[in-house]
């Protein structure tokens, strides 16, 4: 919805961005700005800046940026309207709602209420004769009733429409059941329960809302798991199974497992810091959630090829992040003379919690795991393969930025390969030097292209006229610093701008100044996508002297007008219509999607 601009101005003024961001990110003041580790991408050196004067944030690494509303949208994974409501609640402000938006909010709340009632219904079934098969399955898996209560486990009955009938009787509509993903519609239009004769796992988010379900079969039939599809309240990329409980753990880390049963078994055994990643590879959105509660992750995937591949992907995602990453590899179990893989659930049942604690305490770091993975490719009793191993492992060790770490791991690799420490250190030094030379050449190549340095990173936002765009950026910075300068821009219409994005940002600043409103991110919040806001905050981060505005502003205006005259001389097209059409074409739609 389009919120009244006066309301947004007041909301932003009440929600100081440093206070809001500080509840998610540890910030340190440096000069006029605050810096911290970016919550939107993995890094070890702070590149995330918050400006109390401009009331904006910007990451120089991933280019995320915006005002306080954009920050809440990103960090809480909320739509624009929901982020506004989130901040309004924080500031004790009443939100002006229109009918359309009230309807959307009502639909969302109804789906959440339906999920909660469905979870209760599934749980109650465990105590009925119809749910006896699921209750017996829990007994076989040694899951206690106390644990079942903690996780809200339940039973989907062996029936086509028992949940459908029960929820309709509670007053929910068929459309709501479809929206929640609890029922399925066949080609004839008939509705039936999606989950039937299964152990049910409610998925509960960090706020305590039931957002989805997973259902497991009771035998060896396929598919083993059926899960809720994406809905208006659920995205599997943005949720972790068990996070509602693990976030309260007093343990210093979080254990990341493959499956729901693994999480439940670990919690029951006293490891209440376990979560699972919803049947997907670990995602950036999930790491953002995890970063709120821990700085150490223990990867505990199954000890098979798929589990090792998942571990490698997770390590790659977490590389250069603020997380300390360790890998817990469960030993194989001897069965009938053969070693077979065992998951967390197997290990706890056969060896007990104390044995798992011992392995957890001795779990290796991610570099040890990756070096082990390299070693398994080679027969280190063969001279030629030892040479190949040394070449590959030295490349891996060379990726470490710390010289002491490189020396330590080079020693370990040398010992494993049966070669001298000096020889391995020489290989690592050579690989590190080659890596640095490649980075230096890449930087030099980028620096040689002066125009490219001034271009937005996103191709969709690239400037057609860099010289004019640099002046346009300067005008925007000056107007953002001092809205009264708009009176000096009467001769500069927005259509004179070469960049459609900058033209629209300029137009909105002029409009705000004409209404007597102060320049702030609230001027732009309802009009631009997160990517566009990220670029605009990068523009605002560039240095600009307000004291020199009497000289720089006329110079900027002259460059923009001169460039516009040159463009006009080559076409008879109406420049205002051309600018508007170009802006819409680059955006792909007419305005920011707020639903």
């Amino acid at each position: 919805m389009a919120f009244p601009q006066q309301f947004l101005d007041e909301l932003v003024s009440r929600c100081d961005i440093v206070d809001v961001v500080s509840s998610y990110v540890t910030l340190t003041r440096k000069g006029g700005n605050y810096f911290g580790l970016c919550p939107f991408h993995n890094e070890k050196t702070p590149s995330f800046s918050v400006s109390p004067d401009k009331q904006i944030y910007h990451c120089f690494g991933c280019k995320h940026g915006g005002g306080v509303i954009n920050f809440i949208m990103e960090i809480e994974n909320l739509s624009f309207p929901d982020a506004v409501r989130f901040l309004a609640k924080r500031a004790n402000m009443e939100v002006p709602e229109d009918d359309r938006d009230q309807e959307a909010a009502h639909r969302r709340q109804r789906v959440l209420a339906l999920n909660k009632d469905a979870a209760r219904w599934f749980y109650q079934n465990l105590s009925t004769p119809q749910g006896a098969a699921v209750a017996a399955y829990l007994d076989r898996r040694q899951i206690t009733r106390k644990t079942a209560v903690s996780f809200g486990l339940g039973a989907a009955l062996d029936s086509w429409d028992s949940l459908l009938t029960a929820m309709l009787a509670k007053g929910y509509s068929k459309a709501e059941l479809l929206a929640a993903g609890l029922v399925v519609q066949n080609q004839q239009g008939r509705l039936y329960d999606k989950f039937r004769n299964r152990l049910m796992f409610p998925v509960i988010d960090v706020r305590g809302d039931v957002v989805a379900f997973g259902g497991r079969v009771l035998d060896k039939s396929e598919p083993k798991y059926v899960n809720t599809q994406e809905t208006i309240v659920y995205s599997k990329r943005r949720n972790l199974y068990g996070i509602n409980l693990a976030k309260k753990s007093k343990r210093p880390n979080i254990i990341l497992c493959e499956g729901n049963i693994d999480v439940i078994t670990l919690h029951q055994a006293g490891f209440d810091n376990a979560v699972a990643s919803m049947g997907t590879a670990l995602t950036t959105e999930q790491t953002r959630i995890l970063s709120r509660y821990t700085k150490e992750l223990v990867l505990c995937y199954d000890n098979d090829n798929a589990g090792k591949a998942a571990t490698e992907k997770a390590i790659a995602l977490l590389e250069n992040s603020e997380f300390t990453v360790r890998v817990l590899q469960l030993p194989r179990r001897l069965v009938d003379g053969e070693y077979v893989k065992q998951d967390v659930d197997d290990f706890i049942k056969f060896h007990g919690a104390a044995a798992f604690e011992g392995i957890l305490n001795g779990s290796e770091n991610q570099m040890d795991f990756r070096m082990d993975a390299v070693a398994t490719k080679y027969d280190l009793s063969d001279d030629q393969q030892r040479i190949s191993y040394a070449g590959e492992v030295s490349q891996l060790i060379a990726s470490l930025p710390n010289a002491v770490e490189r020396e330590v791991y080079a020693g370990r690799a040398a010992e494993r390969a049966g070669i001298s420490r000096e020889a391995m250190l020489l290989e690592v030094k050579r690989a590190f030097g080659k890596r640095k030379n490649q980075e230096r050449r890449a930087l030099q190549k980028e620096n040689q292209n002066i125009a490219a340095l001034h271009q937005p990173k996103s191709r969709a936002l690239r400037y057609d006229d860099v010289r004019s765009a640099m002046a346009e950026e300067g005008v925007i910075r000056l107007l953002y610093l001092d809205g009264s300068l708009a009176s000096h821009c009467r001769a500069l219409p927005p259509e004179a701008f070469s960049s459609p994005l900058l033209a629209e940002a300029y137009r909105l600043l002029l409009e705000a100044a004409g209404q007597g409103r102060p320049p702030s991110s609230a001027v732009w919040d309802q009009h631009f996508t997160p990517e566009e806001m990220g670029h605009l905050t990068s523009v605002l981060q560039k240095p600009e002297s307000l004291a020199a505005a009497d000289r720089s502003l006329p110079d900027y205006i002259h460059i923009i007008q001169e460039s516009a005259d040159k463009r006009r001389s080559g076409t008879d097209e109406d420049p205002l219509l051309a600018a508007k059409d170009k802006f819409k074409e680059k955006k792909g739609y007419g305005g920011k999607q707020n639903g």
Side-chain angles (χ1 to χ4, degrees), residues 233-410:
V233 300
Y234 173 65
S235 167
K236 64 182 179 181
R237 294 182 59 84
R238 294 183 169 94
N239 284 276
L240 291 149
Y241 183 72
I243 189 64
N244 59 308
L245 299 175
K247 71 177 186 177
K248 305 170 188 174
S249 176
K250 301 299 183 185
R251 286 180 173 265
N253 47 39
I254 285 183
I255 303 170
L256 195 60
C257 307
E258 280 195 42
N260 298 0
I261 293 287
D262 291 339
V263 171
I264 290 168
T265 299
L266 282 174
H267 277 251
Q268 185 170 278
F271 303 93
D272 61 351
N273 55 333
V275 299
S277 55
M278 308 307 302
T280 68
L282 185 65
T283 67
T284 301
E285 292 88 345
Q286 289 166 344
T287 64
R288 291 179 196 166
I289 296 171
L290 291 167
S291 68
R292 300 182 206 171
Y293 307 109
T294 188
K295 295 305 176 188
E296 181 179 300
L297 295 178
V298 180
L299 306 180
C300 185
Y301 294 132
D302 290 353
N303 196 9
D304 55 11
N305 290 336
K308 289 178 180 178
T311 302
E312 287 279 7
K313 286 182 180 179
I315 289 173
L317 178 66
L318 295 165
E319 196 169 18
N320 297 321
S321 73
E322 74 272 32
F323 290 105
T324 298
V325 181
R326 293 194 286 135
V327 180
L328 192 159
Q329 294 193 84
L330 295 171
R332 291 178 175 265
R333 182 163 53 92
L334 187 63
V335 178
D336 297 331
E338 292 187 10
Y339 284 97
V340 299
K341 72 121 181 172
Q342 56 182 340
D343 57 24
V344 171
D345 185 55
D346 294 328
F347 187 89
I348 294 290
K349 286 181 173 58
F350 285 105
H351 306 286
F356 185 85
E357 185 81 66
I359 294 180
L360 176 62
N361 292 335
S363 57
E364 59 192 1
N365 63 43
Q366 57 94 4
M367 183 54 69
D368 286 325
F369 174 83
R370 297 178 81 176
M371 287 174 62
D372 286 345
V374 172
T376 58
K377 300 179 184 179
Y378 301 98
D379 177 3
L380 298 182
S381 64
D382 179 86
D383 288 344
Q384 190 57 48
Q385 293 208 37
R386 280 194 294 171
I387 294 171
S388 298
Y389 165 75
E392 182 173 349
V393 81
S394 65
Q395 295 283 347
L396 176 62
I397 297 170
S399 67
L400 294 168
N402 184 283
V404 175
E405 285 185 297
R406 293 197 298 273
E407 184 170 346
V408 168
Y409 287 109

Side-chain angles (χ1 to χ4, degrees), residues 14 25 91 105 159 258 316 412 485:
R14 288 201 199 181
V25 180
S159 162
E258 280 195 42
R412 292 184 189 178
L485 291 174

Side-chain angles (χ1 to χ4, degrees), residues 543-557:
E544 192 70 53
S545 173
L546 195 57
D550 59 337
R551 297 188 303 275
S552 57
L553 184 57
D555 288 344
Y556 289 148
I557 292 174

Side-chain angles (χ1 to χ4, degrees), residues 438-469:
Q438 289 173 340
E439 291 175 357
R440 194 177 300 113
R441 284 195 296 270
L443 182 61
Q444 288 172 346
K445 185 177 180 181
E446 184 177 350
N447 289 340
Q448 287 170 358
N449 189 346
I450 302 300
L453 290 176
H454 297 294
Q455 286 283 16
K457 292 295 183 183
S458 169
R459 290 188 177 276
L461 304 179
R462 292 289 169 91
Y463 297 146
D464 294 331
D465 184 338
V466 174
R467 180 171 179 266
S468 180

